[in-house]
Amino acid sequence: MLDFFTIFSKGGIVLWCFQGAGVTESFTGPVNALIRSVILQERSGNNSYTHEALNLKYKLDNEFELIFVVGFQKILTLTYVDKFIDDVQLHFRDRYKNELEQKGPLKLIQNNFEFEDDFLMLLRDAEKSSKARSQGNMRTFVQSEKSQKTVKSMIETKGGEKVKEQGGKKNKNAKKEAPAAEPVKVDPVKAGQKTVENGDQGLTSEEIMQNREKLFRKRTAVPTEKPIKSPKPQKPREKQMRVWHNGGKSTTKDLDYSGRNGDGSSNGDQNQEAQRDPEMQLNSMKGDLLSVDCDSKKSGGFGGMFGMLKGLVGSKSLTREDMEPVLEKMKDHLISKNVAADISSKLCDSVAIKLEGKVMGTFTTVASTVKQALQGSLVQILQPKRRVDILRDVMDAQSQRRPFVITFCGVNGVGKSTNLAKISFWLIENGFTVLIAACDTFRAGAVEQLRTHQRRLNSLHPPEQHGGRPVVQLYEKGYGKDAAGIAMEAIAYARNQTFDVVLVDTAGRMQDNTPLMTALAKLIAINMPDLVLFVGEALVGNEAVDQLVKFNQALADHSMSEKPRLIDGIVLTKFDTIDDKVGAAISMTYITGQPIVFVGTGQTYNDLRSLNARAVVSALMKA
């Protein structure tokens, strides 16, 4: 019932493989998908992986750097697979231990691993044991207890039940008619003795006399004076009314307080200067974005967390029991840094599977080994499987004479419109023209907010510098309209007017709002944007997992194609407000497997960065 079983090294050399009877398709596709999506992405916390119609189970042998993979149809329930793959690993290691200890790929290629007979024997034993554990055949009527009973015994039993029921009814009535219970007679002498004993609580006569003296002193003592009450708190000073001069005949200039600070001084000159030369506040953003820089002056990882296992050094094979205390502390540390609890558990399990059975160096502690493995896993998760190069993709779209379309989605209040304006500024700095599609027809003020950004961006890059054409335009149809239709019209307008990029702003929506999630899936399915970016806050913890899972699920459920468009990348906002609690970046990339394309780090158009995986991991590992 197995489709295939293969044993290969972590370097990619296949040592031995088995293919089931009647299976003609090659197993390289599912195995390569497992390597790309699980092994290389450090997601080996769960030992199973589903690829199309196949279910794959795998086991890592870290001592000899081997991977054992078995594949079978997803509709089958094979309970013996986990034990079977463990048995195959042990037999293969024991039989070819000398060959496996020879380092180097050429040594592995030259060796011949004849393992088919042992494999088939183990497979037969596993299938037999599985059948033995399964439920036996149903008993016949002759074998059952009911066949031994006579008709008379069954009638008597039935009558007995009826009598019992009648008796039960009588008992219920009897309870209602039961006479009141007689009062219990108590001997007053005995009761008095009992009360005295309870009051003394087994005290001696001397202790009783001392207690009586204390009680007498307390009653005859002079009462003390009452403490003086604290003064009542003064009421806060009320706001004083403004005194108008000139008999109420003040001019508009006198009444304008918008350009003054708390001390009454005016900043009018500075504001006028900034309006005359707004570029003095912004730096050039030509080329690739700068990477985000996390403050990582402190070093030393988890501080005293790893000190408990400093004595465990030497050439030894790591076991799960050795790593358990460190992994538990590691999990708590990750949760304190805003990594989702479920993701923290999976990361620790992945590290344990990666290190279990690995031989440590002579002067290596368990703590340092686990720490290095965790750092490597986190960096691998944050580094994308594919690089999203927007500038290159926009130029490719230019060569095809079509606009490059980016759609922004996310929950309410995370900064979609603000970061859309930052990305617009970055694209303008690199010489592209931008059309903003106002598809948030739900929130009041959304269109006006985008119009303000458009006006400011055009003031930073006046049309006179670009042949008299505005570099940013806004396409809007007001409120209450169909967002998918507006996006379609905006893309058609951009194609006719030769705009390079279309940025589609959508309404913020909670992941549980089914009508709005359906509308978003419709917008993406109809217009098929080149890039779908999820905008999320760096402040969230467990909520990040729920948001991304449900957004992806909604896009998949409401799509009309066999391969639905899901989230292609992430914009992480408010990164400047979290210090070293950068765990949301780990949670989001782990769930989606997609890269963090942009990081918002402030309020100005310049505050846009790319993600630096090593800087984020360094901040995450800080004590």
Side-chain angles (χ1 to χ4, degrees):
M1 288 190 286
L2 299 182
D3 282 31
F4 68 87
F5 195 107
T6 180
I7 305 170
F8 57 93
S9 68
K10 288 187 178 179
I13 300 171
V14 178
L15 306 183
W16 181 84
C17 64
F18 163 82
Q19 202 152 4
V23 179
T24 57
E25 295 182 1
S26 174
F27 58 82
T28 55
V31 173
N32 286 334
L34 171 70
I35 294 171
R36 284 194 303 268
S37 302
V38 178
I39 307 298
L40 294 180
Q41 291 295 315
E42 302 289 349
R43 298 168 186 266
S44 53
N46 187 8
N47 68 337
S48 63
Y49 174 72
T50 302
H51 178 75
E52 296 179 355
L54 287 178
N55 194 7
L56 276 65
K57 294 269 188 177
Y58 61 93
K59 186 171 180 63
L60 306 181
D61 189 326
N62 296 301
E63 184 178 353
F64 295 114
E65 301 289 325
L66 300 178
I67 302 174
F68 298 77
V69 181
V70 60
F72 54 92
Q73 292 297 318
K74 191 164 57 175
I75 59 174
L76 300 177
T77 304
L78 304 181
T79 57
Y80 62 85
V81 170
D82 290 327
K83 185 177 182 304
F84 173 64
I85 199 170
D86 291 339
D87 294 340
V88 171
Q89 179 202 13
L90 294 174
H91 277 74
F92 191 83
R93 282 165 48 103
D94 293 343
R95 180 167 177 178
Y96 299 106
K97 186 174 182 180
N98 295 330
E99 289 85 346
L100 294 173
E101 286 177 346
Q102 297 175 2
K103 301 296 182 182
L106 291 176
K107 298 287 185 182
L108 291 175
I109 293 173
Q110 291 170 1
N111 289 319
N112 188 17
F113 298 95
E114 294 291 341
F115 190 64
E116 187 167 357
D117 294 338
D118 293 349
F119 176 81
L120 293 175
M121 180 192 70
L122 291 171
L123 182 59
R124 283 194 298 268
D125 293 344
E127 290 177 347
K128 284 180 182 178
S129 63
S130 177
K131 289 179 181 178
R133 287 195 302 268
S134 62
Q135 294 181 355
N137 296 327
M138 291 180 64
R139 294 180 298 170
T140 61
F141 179 73
V142 178
Q143 295 172 341
S144 66
E145 295 179 359
K146 194 172 183 179
S147 65
Q148 308 299 325
K149 295 181 179 180
T150 62
V151 177
K152 185 178 179 182
S153 65
M154 286 190 286
I155 293 173
E156 285 178 357
T157 306
K158 194 172 183 182
E161 289 176 358
K162 287 183 179 178
V163 171
K164 191 175 181 181
E165 288 175 2
Q166 292 174 0
K169 289 179 181 176
K170 287 181 180 178
N171 290 337
K172 288 181 182 176
N173 296 330
K175 280 184 181 178
K176 292 180 182 177
E177 298 171 2
E182 294 182 3
V184 180
K185 295 181 179 180
V186 182
D187 189 354
V189 179
K190 291 182 179 178
Q193 292 175 355
K194 196 171 185 180
T195 307
V196 172
E197 289 176 359
N198 291 337
D200 295 342
Q201 297 179 355
L203 299 176
T204 62
S205 58
E206 295 180 359
E207 291 175 341
I208 292 171
M209 292 300 294
Q210 291 177 1
N211 291 338
R212 286 176 180 174
E213 288 179 6
K214 288 180 182 178
L215 181 62
F216 179 75
R217 288 174 189 167
K218 192 180 289 185
R219 288 180 177 178
T220 57
V222 180
T224 57
E225 295 181 1
K226 294 183 179 180
I228 301 172
K229 293 182 179 180
S230 59
K232 294 182 179 179
Q234 295 180 355
K235 292 183 179 180
R237 189 174 58 180
E238 296 181 358
K239 182 178 178 182
Q240 296 179 357
M241 297 179 63
R242 185 181 299 279
V243 180
W244 299 102
H245 301 288
N246 301 326
K249 298 179 181 179
S250 301
T251 61
T252 307
K253 186 176 180 182
D254 296 331
L255 298 177
D256 185 11
Y257 286 83
S258 60
R260 305 185 186 182
N261 293 327
D263 57 354
S265 61
S266 175
N267 286 337
D269 297 337
Q270 295 179 5
N271 292 336
Q272 291 175 6
E273 184 178 356
Q275 290 175 2
R276 284 198 302 269
D277 189 13
E279 287 185 350
M280 63 181 287
Q281 299 177 353
L282 301 174
N283 299 322
S284 175
M285 294 182 69
K286 290 183 180 179
D288 292 333
L289 291 171
L290 299 173
S291 60
V292 66
D293 184 21
C294 298
D295 185 15
S296 58
K297 294 178 182 178
K298 293 182 183 179
S299 59
F302 297 93
M305 177 180 123
F306 293 102
M308 64 179 76
L309 296 174
K310 285 185 178 178
L312 294 175
V313 296
S315 298
K316 63 167 289 184
S317 179
L318 275 176
T319 63
R320 189 67 179 249
E321 289 73 21
D322 294 336
M323 296 181 286
E324 197 64 39
V326 182
L327 291 173
E328 194 61 33
K329 291 284 185 180
M330 180 189 302
K331 177 184 171 183
D332 295 340
H333 179 83
L334 292 176
I335 293 173
S336 71
K337 294 286 187 175
N338 259 5
V339 181
D342 187 34
I343 305 300
S344 302
S345 299
K346 290 180 180 178
L347 281 170
C348 292
D349 292 341
S350 176
V351 170
I353 291 172
K354 182 180 179 181
L355 294 179
E356 192 172 2
K358 187 174 182 179
V359 178
M360 297 167 52
T362 306
F363 298 103
T364 308
T365 63
V366 175
S368 61
T369 304
V370 173
K371 180 183 174 184
Q372 289 174 4
L374 176 65
Q375 286 179 328
S377 297
L378 294 174
V379 171
Q380 192 65 40
I381 288 168
L382 288 174
Q383 287 177 342
K385 292 184 287 188
R386 61 181 184 87
R387 178 177 169 80
V388 179
D389 192 341
I390 292 180
L391 298 180
R392 182 196 62 192
D393 294 340
V394 171
M395 288 188 282
D396 288 344
Q398 275 183 329
S399 63
Q400 301 172 17
R401 296 185 178 180
R402 66 173 184 86
F404 186 80
V405 183
I406 304 176
T407 298
F408 296 82
C409 62
V411 300
N412 308 76
V414 294
K416 290 183 296 298
S417 302
T418 303
N419 285 274
L420 180 146
K422 294 179 186 179
I423 295 169
S424 299
F425 179 72
W426 174 62
L427 291 168
I428 295 166
E429 287 281 300
N430 286 278
F432 299 116
T433 54
V434 177
L435 178 67
I436 300 175
C439 296
D440 184 356
T441 62
F442 184 77
R443 176 173 64 90
V447 177
E448 288 76 12
Q449 181 183 5
L450 292 176
R451 187 178 289 117
T452 301
H453 283 303
Q454 176 217 2
R455 186 168 61 249
R456 291 198 64 191
L457 290 169
N458 281 324
S459 67
L460 294 172
H461 286 269
E464 295 79 18
Q465 299 178 3
H466 300 274
R469 180 186 177 181
V471 290
V472 183
Q473 289 190 31
L474 177 67
Y475 189 90
E476 54 95 3
K477 292 291 183 180
Y479 296 98
K481 305 294 194 306
D482 180 34
I486 295 175
M488 182 184 291
E489 293 175 10
I491 294 170
Y493 179 80
R495 187 180 291 108
N496 295 333
Q497 300 297 323
T498 64
F499 279 92
D500 299 322
V501 185
V502 178
L503 302 181
V504 180
D505 182 36
T506 63
R509 63 205 76 209
M510 296 306 294
Q511 63 270 22
D512 299 322
N513 193 326
T514 304
L516 288 179
M517 293 304 298
T518 306
L520 176 65
K522 174 188 171 185
L523 184 149
I524 293 173
I526 290 176
N527 296 287
M528 293 302 291
D530 298 284
L531 203 61
V532 179
L533 295 181
F534 176 84
V535 185
E537 288 179 320
L539 304 169
V540 295
N542 292 323
E543 184 70 9
V545 177
D546 189 52
Q547 289 174 6
L548 282 164
V549 168
K550 290 187 177 178
F551 263 82
N552 264 335
Q553 189 63 44
L555 295 181
D557 291 344
H558 303 293
S559 177
M560 295 174 286
S561 62
E562 294 181 358
K563 294 184 177 180
R565 284 296 306 279
L566 303 179
I567 292 170
D568 301 316
I570 298 166
V571 180
L572 197 61
T573 66
K574 306 178 186 178
F575 201 77
D576 54 321
T577 64
I578 57 171
D579 193 25
D580 59 351
K581 296 185 183 298
V582 294
I586 300 290
S587 301
M588 291 181 179
T589 50
Y590 191 94
I591 285 295
T592 60
Q594 302 300 337
I596 294 177
V597 185
F598 298 106
V599 178
T601 59
Q603 296 292 322
T604 68
Y605 293 138
N606 277 129
D607 295 325
L608 192 68
R609 299 285 185 271
S610 62
L611 189 75
N612 184 347
R614 297 194 179 277
V616 171
V617 171
S618 177
L620 194 65
M621 300 292 282
K622 254 194 331 185

